[in-house]
Amino acid sequence: MSEYNPKIIGFLCNWCSYAGADLAGVSRFQYPPNIRVIRVMCSGRVHPSFILKAFKNGVDGVLIAGCHTPNDCHYISGNFKAERRVAVLKNLLTQLGLEPERLRLEWISAAEGEKFSKTVKEMTEDIRKLGPSPMKQEANE
Amino acid sequence: MKIAEILFWPVAMDVKYKEVEAMPDNYIDVCFFNGAIRNSEQKHLAELLRNKSKTLIAFGACAQLGGVPGLANESNAQEIFKTVYHNSPSTKNLTGSEPTQVVELAEGEVELPIFFDEVKPLDKIVAVDYYLPGCPPPPKIIFNAVEAIASGTLPPKGSILAPETAVCDECPRKKEEKRITEIKRIIEFTPVPEKCLLEQGIICMGPATRGGCDAKCLQANMPCTGCGGPRPNAEEQGAAMISALSTVLGIEDEKADNYSANELASQIKDPLGTFYKYALPSAIINKRYKK
Ligand code: SF4
Ligand code: SF4
Ligand code: FES
């Protein structure tokens, strides 16, 4: 069998992390093609149901990336809200049989193209070690 | 005034399944179906009553959402049998036996229903026309439903027969500003009687839960545990509550040196049992997955 290729959904905030991902592209920093990016206005826009649905539909990992705390979020505290949601969701996902490492939160500024590429590389490797999500099979049926 | 004849009511009347099976299809005008589907007998009854009824109403949290028994979706049939027949402290099962599907006795063959791996709400088995929430459903909304049926004024199919409000909207407690620094349990202190419990640090499912009960639990000094199911326009109850809680918890201290989102989250001891007490089988992720 060929190497297992995890599928990762990335919710990136418009003002920092999406620009950071753009910079990674423009600067030609390499990163694996495993991530599918969805641009959102703020990391605080990512409702917990988005994350649960992504996993239910069989993705192997979810990345939420936003502006650095404490002062960079363009909506003042959306990133703090995202951080608390992710913290609670990690505990919930563990109870539902999913490794919490499949959900990751990072602060990536518009200047951190390299950090974006490094995050995606790391996350792809970490999830490759975990193997496919236990929900994947059912989602594909 | 007589508006209906009761044809089948297992807890109060002795009517056999056979008699229901003998009815023509659509013979029953309205069926209030209570209970979730966990075994083959319940599934058979759901399918049977669907065929025999013009209108099928999922009655109560179990039929609507899976209910408290739905928390068993944290395990599967094998694990449950292992605990119940082998490992529970009060069990002494010397022969290591488990229930068998079919048993031969002198009087004949006895058959047990098949115990499924998962608890399911009624609408995952058959088409459901209406939902009547609550554990148990409040008398007022039952009465409203019966009246709507009698007068032919039921809303469009698929509706939930309860108000389009959240429990908070019906709650008599004083709401000021929802900012909490820590989560507390109701046994740890005596809350101020007139004040919103969530504002006092108690997890109250009111913001994520549909009203219709007049906030009964809050009137009895207990937090809402969510029996009304997801509030209107919420995709699911747990996600709605996680979102609501993340908006109010710890916001005073965000910029403090010792602030930690993980520490705050760890104060919620059992997120699954707290946020999905009645609704796990109908949640987006509806059970625990195994590797
Ligand atoms: S959170 Fe609970 S106590 Fe507060 S207003 Fe809502 S229902 Fe009432
Ligand atoms: S307050 Fe909550 S738990 Fe209590 S009856 Fe109403 S919906 Fe159910
Ligand atoms: S705008 Fe970037 S996290 Fe809020």
Side-chain angles (χ1 to χ4, degrees):
Chain A
M1 210 181 85
S2 60
E3 193 183 30
Y4 153 64
N5 257 318
K7 209 180 260 180
I8 298 168
I9 298 276
F11 292 99
L12 312 187
C13 99
N14 180 55
W15 302 103
C16 291
S17 310
Y18 190 81
D22 203 28
L23 182 65
V26 174
S27 323
R28 298 180 187 277
F29 295 133
Q30 298 283 323
Y31 62 86
N34 300 61
I35 189 160
R36 316 291 197 270
V37 169
I38 296 174
R39 174 161 60 160
V40 289
M41 288 311 281
C42 172
S43 62
R45 175 66 185 87
V46 182
H47 195 275
S49 62
F50 298 1
I51 299 168
L52 295 172
K53 259 201 237 164
F55 282 118
K56 179 68 178 182
N57 288 332
V59 303
D60 301 295
V62 175
L63 171 69
I64 320 281
C67 312
H68 281 266
T69 53
N71 293 323
D72 288 2
C73 172
H74 287 231
Y75 305 95
I76 301 173
S77 60
N79 49 1
F80 279 110
K81 194 196 277 187
E83 191 184 25
R84 289 188 291 267
R85 286 174 174 170
V86 166
V88 178
L89 278 167
K90 275 174 177 273
N91 295 345
L92 175 70
L93 289 172
T94 308
Q95 288 183 294
L96 291 167
L98 218 70
E99 302 87 344
E101 299 79 25
R102 293 186 188 273
L103 176 57
R104 182 161 168 165
L105 178 81
E106 287 290 341
W107 308 138
I108 299 170
S109 80
E112 292 176 321
E114 203 164 358
K115 184 171 181 190
F116 177 77
S117 110
K118 193 176 138 253
T119 301
V120 179
K121 267 186 221 155
E122 267 178 29
M123 204 174 161
T124 307
E125 272 327 300
D126 290 350
I127 292 177
R128 199 168 265 148
K129 275 181 219 134
L130 291 175
S133 151
M135 288 171 209
K136 202 179 196 87
Q137 197 188 344
E138 203 181 87
N140 290 341
E141 272 164 14
Chain B
M1 185 179 68
K2 182 176 155 180
I3 58 165
E5 189 183 339
I6 295 172
L7 295 169
F8 180 60
W9 189 2
V11 296
M13 279 163 58
D14 184 21
V15 178
K16 306 287 186 229
Y17 293 177
K18 273 207 185 82
E19 295 168 54
V20 181
E21 278 155 11
M23 293 173 188
D25 283 359
N26 288 328
Y27 181 71
I28 302 168
D29 286 318
V30 183
C31 169
F32 292 94
F33 191 102
N34 62 293
I37 312 298
R38 142 67 85 199
N39 67 37
S40 57
E41 181 185 356
Q42 294 154 348
K43 180 164 181 275
H44 168 70
L45 216 55
E47 287 162 348
L48 178 66
L49 287 167
R50 172 69 280 187
N51 287 340
K52 304 297 174 193
S53 312
K54 291 194 194 83
T55 299
L56 181 68
I57 301 181
F59 184 84
C62 292
Q64 186 200 359
L65 309 160
V68 174
L71 283 175
N73 282 3
E74 265 195 273
S75 313
N76 57 24
Q78 206 193 350
E79 287 170 346
I80 292 171
F81 276 31
K82 219 159 127 194
T83 303
V84 172
Y85 294 104
H86 306 282
N87 297 342
S88 87
S90 58
T91 299
K92 208 170 210 170
N93 184 351
L94 295 175
T95 54
S97 63
E98 280 184 17
T100 29
Q101 219 64 58
V102 185
V103 185
E104 298 281 355
L105 295 174
E107 295 81 4
E109 217 172 61
V110 186
E111 206 179 320
L112 280 178
I114 300 162
F115 191 88
F116 297 145
D117 260 335
E118 258 180 70
V119 177
K120 290 186 177 167
L122 185 59
D123 66 3
K124 287 205 182 159
I125 305 292
V126 292
V128 166
D129 298 315
Y130 297 100
Y131 303 86
L132 219 154
C135 181
K140 190 177 75 183
I141 70 168
I142 302 175
F143 185 82
N144 290 347
V146 171
E147 212 171 39
I149 293 163
S151 60
T153 52
L154 276 168
K157 284 205 170 165
S159 300
I160 297 174
L161 304 177
E164 292 293 303
T165 53
V167 172
C168 290
D169 299 323
E170 301 178 342
C171 177
R173 286 171 180 265
K174 228 198 281 123
K175 298 139 225 175
E176 275 150 1
E177 208 176 355
K178 290 197 166 43
R179 286 163 175 261
I180 54 180
T181 51
E182 57 172 336
I183 303 278
K184 285 185 233 143
R185 294 169 69 198
I186 194 97
I187 50 166
E188 291 171 349
F189 72 114
T190 307
V192 181
E194 325 64 52
K195 207 178 149 197
C196 165
L197 291 179
L198 190 57
E199 287 175 17
Q200 300 183 65
I202 293 168
I203 298 181
C204 175
M205 290 287 287
T209 303
R210 184 180 289 262
C213 62
D214 296 321
K216 273 280 171 313
C217 299
L218 287 307
Q219 296 186 34
N221 290 324
M222 285 300 285
C224 170
T225 54
C227 81
R231 66 156 163 76
N233 302 321
E235 203 153 358
E236 64 144 57
Q237 211 171 0
M241 193 60 204
I242 292 172
S243 179
L245 206 53
S246 302
T247 309
V248 297
L249 181 60
I251 46 176
E252 297 278 359
D253 313 315
E254 278 169 357
K255 297 188 180 170
D257 285 340
N258 60 352
Y259 171 84
S260 154
N262 287 335
E263 201 283 312
L264 289 170
S266 72
Q267 293 175 13
I268 305 164
K269 291 303 171 219
D270 173 16
L272 184 62
T274 309
F275 302 139
Y276 297 91
K277 187 166 180 182
Y278 303 90
L280 182 57
S282 59
I284 295 171
I285 301 179
N286 58 331
K287 61 180 178 196
R288 182 186 167 87
Y289 281 77
K290 312 274 176 303
K291 263 267 152 174

